Amino acid sequence: MDRLPPRLPPAGEGQRIGLFGGSFNPPHDGHRHVTLMALRRLQLDAVWWLVTPGNPLKAGREIDPLCERMQAASACAAHPRIAVSDVEAQAGLRYTIDTLHYLKQRRPDLAFVWIMGADGLTHFHRWRDWHAIARAMPICVVDRPGHSRAATASIAGQVLARYRLPEEAAPRLAATPPPSWLFLHGPRLPISSTQIRARRDADG
């Protein structure tokens, strides 16, 4: 019997979908804050949280089981327009570029936008085929505490500078051919998964 393809979150033809990937180890209000800002400012129909099986750049670090992170992410998201997915684990995908190609092939009728925090842009040049990611779909970078200047001054920030759109272009980003990206500024939450894990370890 043929295996069914991995199940994707539901979406109507032509919808604008944000993709927010990460280990979510653990998920926290900062993830939700970034997501809601992108939903509102980019006028997206939904955002999919892509909970990764593991991060190749963080190999060797302790990570909670995927099922636990999925459950925690669902509880943290708690929003009808945020869908939590483990499609990468289901489809055996490891790198972001492969995930983006896979989703575009599965749902060519959707307008996808890749969302990441400013901390992600600072080391974006270390991602597998990061130039190809920038060519695959528009990117929304959301400001994060302590990374505003470092993000735009990073290797990727400088290389991609000529493709940066003004912040007021946010509502049309999903319809803008890549490479295209913008930097969203707004209220920031000083919280990270690293800080939460450190406190959890300190508490024993």
Side-chain angles (χ1 to χ4, degrees), residues 91-161:
L93 303 168
R94 186 178 183 195
Y95 296 101
T96 297
I97 185 59
D98 298 326
T99 301
L100 302 193
H101 286 326
Y102 177 83
L103 292 176
K104 289 177 65 176
Q105 290 173 355
R106 284 284 305 274
R107 293 300 308 265
D109 57 312
L110 300 180
F112 287 115
V113 175
W114 180 254
I115 300 168
M116 63 176 160
D119 49 330
L121 185 60
T122 61
H123 56 77
F124 190 39
H125 63 280
R126 296 175 56 205
W127 294 25
R128 170 74 64 92
D129 294 335
W130 67 275
H131 290 90
I133 294 174
R135 293 192 299 267
M137 64 182 58
I139 297 173
C140 172
V141 178
V142 182
D143 200 6
R144 291 281 289 144
H147 293 276
S148 303
R149 295 183 180 180
T152 53
S154 67
I155 293 175
Q158 294 182 64
V159 171
L160 298 175

Side-chain angles (χ1 to χ4, degrees), residues 42 48 50 52 68 84 91-92 95 109 125 133 137 157 163 167 193:
L42 273 58
W48 297 355
L50 306 178
T52 65
E68 293 182 12
V84 178
Y95 296 101
D109 57 312
H125 63 280
I133 294 174
M137 64 182 58
Y163 303 113
E167 195 163 348
S193 295

Side-chain angles (χ1 to χ4, degrees), residues 57-89:
L57 293 179
K58 299 178 181 178
R61 298 186 187 180
E62 183 176 345
I63 187 169
D64 293 334
L66 178 61
C67 60
E68 293 182 12
R69 289 182 285 122
M70 284 286 293
Q71 293 174 356
S74 295
C76 178
H79 194 284
R81 290 165 61 192
I82 302 176
V84 178
S85 173
D86 63 349
V87 62
E88 290 185 317

Side-chain angles (χ1 to χ4, degrees), residues 16 42 104 111-114 134-139 163-166 168-182:
R16 300 145 67 103
L42 273 58
K104 289 177 65 176
F112 287 115
V113 175
W114 180 254
R135 293 192 299 267
M137 64 182 58
I139 297 173
Y163 303 113
R164 183 178 176 180
L165 302 176
E168 55 267 25
R172 66 174 188 271
L173 179 63
T176 303
S180 56
W181 68 286
L182 53 76

